Amino acid sequence: QFGTRITIVGSNLLGGGASVANLTLAGIPARNVTVFNSSLIVVTASPLAVGLNTTGAVYIESDTHAIVQRANAWTYITQPVITSFAPATIHEGTVVRINGTGLL
């Protein structure tokens, strides 16, 4: 999910503040935080979450230290892993089998 762009929509997301001082997704700091207004914030999931499989709050702290959060609102999933595929060469119409974990 690293690099996933997330749009957060709500009301009074800044709790009366003017900007975001801290925003986390399941405890991991978000990147590229853009505040459009107190009802719309867009962020990007952090690379720090790669390999995690955890659920937690969306936590927003404004410049006035007001806190707005929603418990269990974000889940990072473990990255899928391809362990094998066959056949190695194909032509149009060939069925390819892909094996791995976390693919769906």
Side-chain angles (χ1 to χ4, degrees), residues 67-81:
I67 296 171
V68 175
Q69 65 181 326
R70 181 167 180 166
N72 300 317
W74 183 260
T75 300
Y76 284 104
I77 58 173
T78 304
Q79 292 276 357
V81 175

Side-chain angles (χ1 to χ4, degrees), residues 25-46:
L25 305 168
I28 307 294
R31 298 177 53 167
N32 306 319
V33 177
T34 303
V35 177
F36 290 93
N37 55 51
S38 66
S39 299
L40 178 63
I41 301 171
V42 176
V43 301
T44 305
S46 171

Side-chain angles (χ1 to χ4, degrees), residues 18-99:
S19 64
V20 171
N22 183 28
L23 196 151
T24 63
L25 305 168
I28 307 294
R31 298 177 53 167
N32 306 319
V33 177
T34 303
V35 177
F36 290 93
N37 55 51
S38 66
S39 299
L40 178 63
I41 301 171
V42 176
V43 301
T44 305
S46 171
L48 298 174
V50 171
L52 293 181
N53 188 13
T54 188
T55 297
V58 172
Y59 174 95
I60 304 166
E61 182 178 353
S62 74
D63 56 342
T64 61
H65 303 289
I67 296 171
V68 175
Q69 65 181 326
R70 181 167 180 166
N72 300 317
W74 183 260
T75 300
Y76 284 104
I77 58 173
T78 304
Q79 292 276 357
V81 175
I82 295 174
T83 56
S84 65
F85 61 91
T89 58
I90 63 170
H91 61 287
E92 186 177 340
T94 301
V95 174
V96 177
R97 181 182 177 115
I98 302 171
N99 297 306

